[in-house]
């Protein structure tokens, strides 16, 4: 009897497994590494791919594609300022547990059509879901305002964005989009996620990484400042003294002429 039940369960599970994997992402990136140099003013990354299928295109809801790129996450301390006796002072503060340094999502349809709230909660695709804040003080009634402040500030800085209807999908098989990365990027490993959805439900997903690093003189100075701060400080002081002495000598020479 147990064997019959097990066989029946396996037969029921087989179609479900096939359905879950019948559409898969084959991804391409215009670049998988971004180099931050002295004249770095941002970068555009072309993300493109195709949908691999073992069966014909399913009937029903059309295929939608969501591309999300997130930078390294870190805690963020958000403080509220209030004016008291003519002076701006810090009052309440909330530690946002984890906020990505950069977050951009592009969709092939309006976000609410491409992804349901339940799936957004599960996969954390929207900006508000990508930020995690669970340790707010119970005495702060409007703790969510601090999370919204992080979103607002970073959106104004060009670090957070949701771009609807910017993923082109051809014949429910090919897709492409561009992600704009600003100049003020944080160094580290960026995660690119691609979601295929139908009727707001994720039917397949794929993940890869993009390496963002400082190179050249910027890398040398960054490492020196973090690994040997005393030497970095002495070198900066010596350069400042030399520059001041040089400017003074040049000024005296001009006056002598």
């Amino acid at each position: 009897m147990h064997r019959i039940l097990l066989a029946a369960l396996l037969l029921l599970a087989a179609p479900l497994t096939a359905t879950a994997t019948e559409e898969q992402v084959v991804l391409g990136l215009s670049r998988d590494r971004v180099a931050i140099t002295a004249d770095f003013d941002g970068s555009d990354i072309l993300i493109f791919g195709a949908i691999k299928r073992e069966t014909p295109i399913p009937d029903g809801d059309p295929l939608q594609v969501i591309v999300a790129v997130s930078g390294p996450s870190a805690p963020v301390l958000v403080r509220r300022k209030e004016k008291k006796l003519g002076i701006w002072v810090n009052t309440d503060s909330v530690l946002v547990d984890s906020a990505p340094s950069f977050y951009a999502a592009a969709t092939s349809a309006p976000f609410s059509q491409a992804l349901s709230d339940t799936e957004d909660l599960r996969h954390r695709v929207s900006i508000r879901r990508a930020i995690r804040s669970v340790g707010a003080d119970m005495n702060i009634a409007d703790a969510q305002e601090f999370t919204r402040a992080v979103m607002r500030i970073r959106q104004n800085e060009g670090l957070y964005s949701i771009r609807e209807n910017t993923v082109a999908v051809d014949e429910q098989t090919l897709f492409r989009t561009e992600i704009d990365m600003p100049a003020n990027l944080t160094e580290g490993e960026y995660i690119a996620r691609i979601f295929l959805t139908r009727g707001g439900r994720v039917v397949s997903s794929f993940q890869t990484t993009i390496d963002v690093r400082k190179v050249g003189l910027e890398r040398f100075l960054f490492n020196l400042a973090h690994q040997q701060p005393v030497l970095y400080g002495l070198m900066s002081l010596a350069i400042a003294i030399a520059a001041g002495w040089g400017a003074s000598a040049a000024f005296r020479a001009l006056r002598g002429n």
Side-chain angles (χ1 to χ4, degrees):
M1 181 64 179
H2 291 295
R3 291 181 180 178
I4 295 174
L5 287 175
L6 179 60
L9 289 172
L10 289 174
L11 288 173
L12 288 172
L16 294 176
T17 303
T19 301
T21 59
E22 66 181 6
E23 294 181 300
Q24 298 178 352
V25 176
V26 180
L27 185 69
L29 298 173
S30 60
R31 62 176 70 183
D32 58 4
R33 189 171 187 271
V34 176
I36 301 178
T37 59
D39 57 351
F40 179 75
D41 59 355
S43 178
D44 295 335
I45 295 182
L46 175 64
I47 299 178
F48 57 94
I51 315 303
K52 178 183 177 182
R53 298 184 178 91
E54 301 294 338
T55 59
I57 296 176
D59 296 328
D61 296 311
L63 179 76
Q64 305 295 348
V65 179
I66 302 174
V67 177
V69 178
S70 59
S73 294
V76 178
L77 182 62
V78 185
R79 292 187 174 92
R80 172 185 287 150
K81 289 183 179 292
E82 292 184 2
K83 198 171 186 179
K84 295 184 178 181
L85 301 176
I87 301 174
W88 287 98
V89 296
N90 293 327
T91 54
D92 299 329
S93 65
V94 168
L95 180 65
V96 176
D97 300 273
S98 179
S101 58
F102 170 84
Y103 195 85
T107 67
S108 59
F111 192 91
S112 59
Q113 295 180 19
L115 194 69
S116 67
D117 288 339
T118 302
E119 292 289 85
D120 185 23
L121 180 62
R122 179 179 301 150
H123 297 281
R124 296 183 175 274
V125 181
S126 65
I127 295 176
R128 65 188 180 94
R129 298 295 187 193
I131 298 175
R132 184 163 53 87
S133 180
V134 295
D137 193 330
M138 296 297 293
N139 296 324
I140 300 177
D142 57 346
Q144 288 300 316
E145 285 297 325
F146 291 80
T147 301
R148 283 191 280 269
V150 174
M151 295 169 54
R152 182 176 64 255
I153 292 170
R154 294 192 171 178
Q155 282 175 331
N156 292 337
E157 293 175 345
L159 293 172
Y160 285 1
S161 64
I162 295 288
R163 300 189 304 137
E164 298 177 318
N165 300 307
T166 57
V167 179
V169 181
D170 298 329
E171 301 296 331
Q172 299 194 59
T173 301
L174 303 175
F175 67 89
R176 65 187 181 279
T177 189
E178 283 190 357
I179 298 295
D180 299 326
M181 306 184 79
N184 52 338
L185 289 177
T186 299
E187 187 181 32
E189 187 177 83
Y190 286 58
I191 298 175
R193 296 182 297 162
I194 292 83
F195 299 94
L196 306 182
T197 71
R198 288 187 182 276
R201 184 177 62 86
V202 175
V203 297
S204 183
S205 63
F206 182 85
Q207 178 174 306
T208 188
T209 58
I210 302 170
D211 194 37
V212 177
R213 300 291 174 187
K214 293 182 175 70
V215 297
L217 180 61
E218 288 71 24
R219 162 58 57 183
F220 170 74
L221 294 176
F222 180 84
N223 288 340
L224 186 64
H226 287 78
Q227 297 174 7
Q228 301 185 50
V230 175
L231 179 59
Y232 178 80
L234 292 174
M235 187 178 72
S236 300
L237 181 61
I239 292 174
I241 293 173
W245 179 85
S248 177
F251 183 71
R252 286 197 304 269
L254 289 174
R255 290 187 62 183
N257 293 335

